[in-house]
Amino acid sequence: MPNDLSAALAAAAATLSAASDVTLLAHVNPDADALGSALALGLVLHRRGKAVRVSFGAPESVPETLRGLDVAGLLVPASEVPAAPEVLVALDAGSVGRLGPLADRVGAAGAVVVLDHHVSNPGFGTVNVVDPEAEATALVVLRLLDELGAELDEPVARCVYAGLVTDTRSFRHATPSTHEVAARLLAAGVDAEAVARPLMDSHPFGYLGMLAKVLSRAGLERGAAGGLGFVHAVVTLEDAAGLRPEEVESVVDLVRTTAEAEVAAVLKELRPSCWSVSLRAVSRVDVREVAQVLGGGGHRLAAGFTAEGSAGDVLARLRAALESVAG
Ligand code: AMP
Ligand code: MN
Ligand code: MN
């Protein structure tokens, strides 16, 4: 580990050890890495007698598949996050904006600890532990737990595992040392199948009907993305009615299997004329760069942005951004 990261970890541990009240925030539309990381660290701090709350700016409800990670009842609605937290910890948020409606707490907090793995993170905290080499923020959190001398028991290990298994796509993007971390988590009692199946492999029957509609309208543009191929699909509010965000978020995992396309995109309607867009690449296009052109961010092979307009308008802007990066 580089020296500056070790120093940042020590500073983060010192800040948290001295705190009596800690607010941990995941990014908006939290995934298993953001919320699992927050809950793992939150649980350890809670056991040390600190007042701890975990939250996120939007949506209002906690994703059903992540609720089971909160064994100590640390999750609170965004409306219960103090206006000026004593110590704020931001997890898996590559920029202040990713905290959504809670972004203003960054300027108001007594201290801000940033724990993240986005290469573009500007370091918006007073202490920044940002490791772009880490496959998940959960790994950064585990290093901090070790720095704190915390016990890695099953509930804590499960939260870390949830973030790790999802961000590495079931350990396909994991270094040998990350596999060793996984072994450590399993040895702590994590049931890998019981954690991963609800997160990645389980949907209500209505999912199949939604997929049938959405995938039948998918488009393939073989010449796009500099000739590497581009596949896209659109999930409207009507398509998603009655289903959880989990079902909508997983559509891109099917669309991206298209062999003729290097880049996959799924437009998810948030409200009329407002879209959250997921981008994925196989290996050759840096979709973070594409997302950044459009005001978003992410990682080389998984990125996203939000955009206003009709689906056709958003696709046209995306096509142009793809040509500017991959063309
Ligand atoms: P998603 O497609 O929603 O799973 O997002 C993939 C990755 O892209 C996330 O892990 C984030 O790093 C990033 N990302 C998604 N949406 C945005 C956004 N609106 N702004 C910045 N980064 C984003
Ligand atoms: Mn995330
Ligand atoms: Mn992550």
Side-chain angles (χ1 to χ4, degrees), residues 173-191:
H173 299 289
T175 60
S177 68
T178 297
H179 281 273
E180 283 170 19
V181 168
R184 196 180 151 205
L185 298 171
L186 296 180
V190 172
D191 179 339

Side-chain angles (χ1 to χ4, degrees), residues 27-29 31 33 92-95 97-98 116-118 120 167 249 252 266 268 275-280 287-288 291-292 294-299 301-307:
H27 61 69
V28 287
N29 302 316
D31 51 23
D33 191 29
D92 201 39
S95 64
R98 291 284 285 157
D116 188 30
H117 67 134
H118 288 89
S120 55
D167 267 30
E249 294 305 319
V252 73
V266 172
K268 302 163 285 182
W275 305 86
S276 168
V277 182
S278 288
L279 297 177
R280 300 291 185 269
V287 286
R288 179 183 63 81
Q292 276 186 332
L294 298 160
H299 307 285
L301 303 179
F305 63 97
T306 55

